[in-house]
C-alpha cells in the first residue's frame, strides 16, 4: 500500500506523511475505541504532522 499512496500523493501533489498512524492502533491507551485515536492519540498525530505541514507551508510561501 505504501507505494500506491506515494504514487497517488505525487500524482495529485498532496502531502504524504508515511506511517502516520503507526504505533497508535496497537496501543489501547491511545485509542477511544477499536479504531479511533483518543486525545492522546491525536496528540501523537499532531506531533507527526507539525514539521511536514510547516515545511509545506514554507514552500508555499505562507509566512503565518
Amino acid at each position: 500500500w505504501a507505494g500506491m499512496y506515494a504514487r497517488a500523493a505525487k500524482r495529485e501533489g498532496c502531502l504524504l506523511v508515511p506511517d502516520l498512524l503507526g504505533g497508535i492502533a496497537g496501543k489501547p491507551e491511545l485509542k477511544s475505541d477499536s479504531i479511533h485515536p483518543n486525545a492522546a492519540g491525536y496528540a501523537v498525530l499532531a506531533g507527526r504532522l507539525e514539521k511536514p505541514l510547516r515545511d509545506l507551508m514554507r514552500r508555499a510561501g505562507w509566512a503565518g
Side-chain angles (χ1 to χ4, degrees):
W1 292 103
M4 178 190 70
Y5 288 126
R7 287 189 304 275
K10 185 175 181 177
R11 180 181 65 240
E12 300 299 326
C14 298
L15 176 65
L16 175 66
V17 181
D19 203 27
L20 181 62
L21 296 171
I24 294 173
K27 294 184 179 177
E29 66 272 18
L30 297 177
K31 294 171 38 181
S32 62
D33 58 30
S34 63
I35 298 173
H36 301 95
N38 60 18
Y42 281 117
V44 172
L45 290 174
R48 291 176 182 174
L49 284 170
E50 182 180 11
K51 184 178 182 332
L53 285 175
R54 286 184 186 275
D55 291 346
L56 179 66
M57 293 184 322
R58 181 185 41 77
R59 288 194 312 267
W62 189 77

